[in-house]
Each structure stands twice: as structure tokens, then as C-alpha cells.
Amino acid sequence: MKEHGKSSHKKNSKSCNSENLLEYIIKGLSASKKTSHKNETIISSIIKETSKSNMKLNEKCLINTLNIDKQDIDQSIFKEKTSSNSPAILEERKDDEYLKDKLIKLIKESFRTRGHYPQTTLDFYRLVKMIGKGAFGKVFLGVHLLTGKYVAVKSIEKKYIKEESSQKRIFQEVYILKKINHQNVIRLLEVFENKRYLFLVLEYAPKGDLLKYVKKKTRLEEDVAKEIFAQIVSGLRHCHRNLILHRDVKLDNVLLDKNNKVKICDFGVSRFVKKGQTIKEQCGTPAYIAPEIIKDKGYEGCYADIWSLGVLLYAIVTGSVPFKADNIEDLHKVILKGKYIIPNYVSESCKDLIRKMLQLNPYNRISIEAIGSHSWFDKGPEFGRRESMYDGQIRNSIFDGEHRRTHSMDKNCKKNTIAEVEPASVIRILEPILQKVEGFGYSREFVIQSINSNSCNHASVSYYLLYEEFQGEKC
């Protein structure tokens, strides 16, 4: 039920200057009557970070400065390299070092003469190959030239998002990713654009999605499943506490980084919810979709995500989905009946958790908070006492130090005191990393300010990528 394909441009829909799409999207959403004053303030800060506070250096000027022969994305040729010491790889590294030096000179000169950092363009990255394709564009594996670290670069063709509704959908994803700051949710690093494309730079999860991981192993042993599922619940709980309904929880939208840490991704159909608000839109993936969405009588709260979580847990411990049919119509009938069989090899406590999530009545489903207190997590090896990737303290819970309490938030995503004070993932200021980013030409004060304010600019991207490497080496 997920929307695919091109969006038509209606006569009455608002269009914009293609060179300023990001600004238009944000202004358009700010003007909406449904947008709160608080959101407008945050929206303004995003566009300030991504365009207004940037030095107005156009793409042609930057290309000339760096002496780079640019090719269009669709015409670029990406070659797979099999050896890190191959002549092609070594040549690429030389090219990257050359471009890195040019970028550093540009950044330093910009700070010296203008007091601003240069506007990010595609020349700050090297695209390696295409790794995914969606409704509006493509996702490329990219190299962040200043640090040499891999990132995912999502390119969105502007000609496919001329309608105001399409632009709002893209912005909603950007805004949600900007708002979420959790180690189990994919991190938005930077947003920039050129005449044809809008680019979203995201952290890269090299081990791919959970669907491929489960297929490779047929099904996951419960000890492994607990470790992964606990992280998914932790990330999704953070979303719900921030009143964000994902609406497309599935194996495909759970990525694994190089340390097997979970990263929930694809917030393209996600939205904010309010207590008592009835949602009419139908979206999601057929096998994971909740019965109340199929009924098309409106649904509320975060219950639909809990149902999808139940399907996901069933899938990782059995290697299949609970509801199957030959066509969508029959699949809907099967889901609405709510009848399924759990194999005997699944433990009783795991069966119980699945059943509590796959309740036909959404109000009878276990809450996202109560999942963490379920007995299934009380059995098995101690995989909870491990070092946090963010604060260096030993945690006693597999839920990253979050207390196993069911009263943190009611079942309708309403935040209370505990939920409101839930700490986000903390990025600390570390002197060795700070010095490295300073070496790229950014001032110390600017880097610290960018990190503390959770900004999406090239200085914060550089710091974060080096920080992740540093934390990975400690684990």
C-alpha cells in the first residue's frame, strides 16, 4: 500500500523555483494552518542551517575552484573494487586526498574572508555505486572526502516532487529525522541541493537490512533475536515518545551497521500523532499492515506500529510471516481474522509476546513500554551488560539503560514526565576529534556549537563520522 511512481503535477498545486526547493518545502509547511508555532521555529532553524547561513557560493563557482569535471549522477559510472590495494583503489585514494586538500583550502579561505562555511555540494562527496532505489530517487554509497568515511547519499529528483503534497512528504521525512536523535534510528547527517536534485546524507549501515540477514540464516535463534528486537523496540519507543508513528515497520526498514547495531530507517510515510487524533491515510506494507488500517474507518495512536512489531518478531524467529495469501484481497481477509500458527520450536514466552502484539483490537495490544518488561527478555545469555556506543558507561539493560517500566507513556503515545526527560543519544565533545575537524578548516567554536545544537552541516557531519569511528574502536 506504499505509494510508488511519479507524482503528477496538478494545475492547482503550488510549484517552486527548482533551485530553492528545500527552502520552498519548509516555507510551505510553515505556512500550513496545521503547523504549530513551535514547529515553525524549528523549521526556520533547519533552513537557516541548510541555506541562509551558508556562504552563497554557487555550484559552478565551487566546481571551478576545485577544478573538478562534474558528471550527472545518472551518467556516472560506478566500478566495484575487489581489492583495497588494487591500482584503481590506490588511484582513487590519491584523487580523494587531492580533493580533500582543495576542500580544506576552500573552507579555510571562506572562514578567513567571509566568516562562513561554504555551501555543501556534491563535490564534498565521491559517489561509489547505487545501493538502492525508491519512489522519488536513488540511494548511493558515497565517500565523505574530508574524513574518508562511507555515507549513504539519497538523491531525490525534483521533477518527481512538484506537487505540494509530495514536497510535504519529503520534508516530513527530513523534519522527523532531524528531530529524532537515537542510536537505533538512522541519523540524518546533512541536506543540500542543486538544480536537479535534493540530497539527503545519512549514516551508512554496511551490513544491509534485516530481511537479507534473516534470509541468509533462515531464521534467528532467540538469543540473537532478543538482541536485535530489543534495539528495534528501543528505537521505536523513542519515536513514539516523540509522538512519531513510523507506519512501515518491517524487516526491510531495519538496517545493521558494521557493529551489528540496529538502525531503523525509511520514515517516508511516517507522521506525527496527537492523542485522540483519527488518522485516515492508508499506508504500509501489506504483510505487516494492522487490521484497523485495512478496515479504513480511521485509526489512532501508535497501535499500528505495535502490530507491525508483532509481525516482525514472528518473522525473525520463524523466517516467515504470520499472514499469507495469493493476493491482497485475500491477505486482508486473513489479517482481519487474526488467525495464525506459531511453530512449536518457538519458546512459550516468545509466543506470548507475539500474541500480545498481534491483538485484533488495537487497545488490547501490549504497549511499547511494556514490551521491555516482558518475560521473554528475562531469559537467555547476558547480552545487556555492554558498553554504550554513546556515553561510555556500562549498561545493565538491553534497552540501552532505559528503565523497564510500563508507566513511562500511556498506550496512546501521550508523553508524561519520564518520557519527556528521556535522554537522547549524547555526542560528547572529544578533544582529539575536535582537533581533526579543526584541521579541516572549521573553527573550534563553530564545531562545538554545531554539535551541541544538533545541527546538520558539514562540520557536524565530519565530527560525527570521526566520532562513530572512535566509538567503534572502543567496542
Side-chain angles (χ1 to χ4, degrees):
M1 288 196 167
K2 208 171 180 181
E3 295 181 4
H4 294 282
K6 299 180 181 179
S7 299
S8 59
H9 181 54
K10 296 180 181 179
K11 291 181 180 180
N12 295 328
S13 65
K14 296 181 180 179
S15 61
C16 65
N17 185 325
S18 61
E19 295 184 7
N20 297 294
L21 177 62
L22 183 60
E23 186 169 0
Y24 173 80
I25 292 173
I26 294 171
K27 284 183 177 179
L29 196 60
S30 298
S32 172
K33 294 180 180 179
K34 297 180 181 180
T35 305
S36 67
H37 176 72
K38 181 179 179 181
N39 286 353
E40 288 175 5
T41 304
I42 299 174
I43 289 164
S44 299
S45 70
I46 295 174
I47 193 60
K48 182 179 180 182
E49 291 168 8
T50 54
S51 62
K52 289 184 179 179
S53 67
N54 290 345
M55 182 180 75
K56 300 302 181 180
L57 182 66
N58 61 42
E59 186 180 18
K60 182 177 179 181
C61 176
L62 183 58
I63 294 170
N64 290 336
T65 304
L66 299 178
N67 193 26
I68 298 172
D69 293 324
K70 176 179 283 296
Q71 293 180 315
D72 185 82
I73 296 175
D74 294 327
Q75 296 175 347
S76 297
I77 301 174
F78 304 109
K79 297 180 180 179
E80 292 271 16
K81 311 299 192 306
T82 57
S83 172
S84 61
N85 293 320
S86 67
I89 286 288
L90 293 175
E91 188 63 31
E92 255 181 12
R93 286 175 180 169
K94 288 182 181 179
D95 291 343
D96 287 355
E97 284 299 318
Y98 171 77
L99 295 175
K100 175 182 175 180
D101 290 341
K102 289 287 185 181
L103 286 173
I104 291 174
K105 289 179 182 177
L106 177 66
I107 293 167
K108 288 181 176 179
E109 182 63 17
S110 175
F111 263 91
R112 187 182 68 82
T113 59
R114 301 172 183 264
H116 296 287
Y117 60 90
Q119 181 174 324
T120 303
T121 74
L122 202 55
D123 298 300
F124 283 61
Y125 297 89
R126 173 170 61 82
L127 300 184
V128 180
K129 63 179 179 179
M130 187 174 75
I131 56 176
K133 191 173 183 179
F136 298 125
K138 302 171 184 177
V139 181
F140 296 91
L141 173 62
V143 175
H144 180 264
L145 290 173
L146 289 179
T147 63
K149 307 305 176 187
Y150 285 119
V151 294
V153 181
K154 185 175 183 178
S155 67
I156 302 168
E157 279 204 79
K158 294 177 180 179
K159 67 180 181 180
Y160 294 149
I161 51 172
K162 291 183 179 179
E163 280 191 343
E164 186 176 10
S165 59
S166 299
Q167 292 165 3
K168 284 185 177 181
R169 176 178 167 180
I170 297 299
F171 172 73
Q172 187 86 322
E173 181 176 11
V174 173
Y175 180 42
I176 286 174
L177 287 172
K178 180 72 170 59
K179 184 177 179 65
I180 298 173
N181 182 17
H182 192 275
Q183 61 180 342
N184 295 126
V185 177
I186 203 75
R187 189 179 187 91
L188 176 68
L189 300 174
E190 188 170 27
V191 182
F192 63 95
E193 64 179 345
N194 63 20
K195 290 183 179 181
R196 289 187 57 186
Y197 297 94
L198 179 68
F199 298 99
L200 275 59
V201 182
L202 304 158
E203 63 178 317
Y204 176 56
K207 291 195 175 180
D209 62 52
L210 195 52
L211 177 62
K212 294 176 184 175
Y213 184 76
V214 172
K215 278 185 176 180
K216 184 178 179 180
K217 296 181 177 293
T218 306
R219 63 184 177 87
L220 302 187
E221 296 297 327
E222 288 192 29
D223 288 343
V224 178
K226 288 175 188 178
E227 177 95 17
I228 290 175
F229 191 68
Q231 294 179 69
I232 297 170
V233 172
S234 182
L236 192 62
R237 177 168 57 206
H238 183 76
C239 295
H240 288 184
R241 285 175 172 177
N242 284 281
L243 306 181
I244 295 166
L245 178 64
H246 188 283
R247 297 206 292 185
D248 200 17
V249 174
K250 59 180 179 179
L251 293 176
D252 317 46
N253 288 339
V254 177
L255 304 177
L256 297 172
D257 72 4
K258 63 182 181 180
N259 299 310
N260 276 337
K261 185 162 65 174
V262 160
K263 301 287 182 179
I264 300 172
C265 68
D266 197 349
F267 287 77
V269 295
S270 303
R271 62 165 294 159
F272 290 95
V273 294
K274 298 177 182 178
K275 184 179 181 180
Q277 178 185 15
T278 301
I279 304 168
K280 298 290 187 179
E281 304 130 342
Q282 284 195 326
C283 58
T285 298
Y288 294 80
I289 200 166
E292 62 267 26
I293 297 178
I294 295 173
K295 289 178 181 178
D296 200 20
K297 294 181 179 179
Y299 55 100
E300 63 173 316
C302 300
Y303 306 108
D305 277 353
I306 302 299
W307 175 279
S308 299
L309 266 182
V311 176
L312 186 147
L313 178 56
Y314 183 104
I316 62 178
V317 297
T318 69
S320 183
V321 289
F323 308 105
K324 302 176 184 177
D326 294 329
N327 55 66
I328 296 295
E329 184 178 352
D330 289 344
L331 178 61
H332 286 176
K333 291 178 181 178
V334 172
I335 292 173
L336 289 174
K337 288 180 180 178
K339 296 187 181 297
Y340 56 92
I341 298 174
I342 305 177
N344 291 331
Y345 56 76
V346 178
S347 70
E348 289 303 317
S349 57
C350 185
K351 287 179 181 178
D352 182 70
L353 179 55
I354 291 172
R355 292 186 184 114
K356 286 180 176 177
M357 289 188 283
L358 295 181
Q359 292 287 316
L360 286 175
N361 184 337
Y363 302 103
N364 291 337
R365 287 173 205 154
I366 188 171
S367 71
I368 193 73
E369 303 292 335
I371 290 174
S373 302
H374 194 273
S375 61
W376 185 53
F377 293 106
D378 295 334
K379 300 176 182 179
E382 284 194 38
F383 46 86
R385 296 186 60 84
R386 58 187 175 182
E387 190 171 344
S388 168
M389 292 289 290
Y390 286 82
D391 62 14
Q393 297 178 353
I394 299 297
R395 302 299 196 177
N396 293 318
S397 165
I398 58 176
F399 290 96
D400 305 310
E402 297 175 58
H403 296 293
R404 292 184 174 189
R405 290 187 250 186
T406 59
H407 60 277
S408 299
M409 173 183 67
D410 70 21
K411 293 178 70 175
N412 205 27
C413 301
K414 180 182 178 182
K415 293 196 289 186
N416 68 10
T417 305
I418 293 178
E420 288 175 344
V421 300
E422 179 197 33
S425 298
V426 177
I427 306 295
R428 293 179 295 144
I429 302 298
L430 301 177
E431 184 61 29
I433 301 175
L434 185 59
Q435 289 180 7
K436 284 186 178 181
V437 180
E438 277 188 285
F440 298 152
Y442 296 104
S443 71
R444 172 177 290 255
E445 294 75 16
F446 178 72
V447 176
I448 293 174
Q449 181 185 13
S450 297
I451 299 304
N452 288 338
S453 62
N454 193 31
S455 298
C456 287
N457 57 50
H458 212 70
S460 62
V461 175
S462 301
Y463 188 94
Y464 177 79
L465 292 173
L466 293 172
Y467 185 87
E468 281 295 282
E469 180 189 38
F470 175 80
Q471 294 290 356
E473 290 174 352
K474 289 172 60 180
C475 294

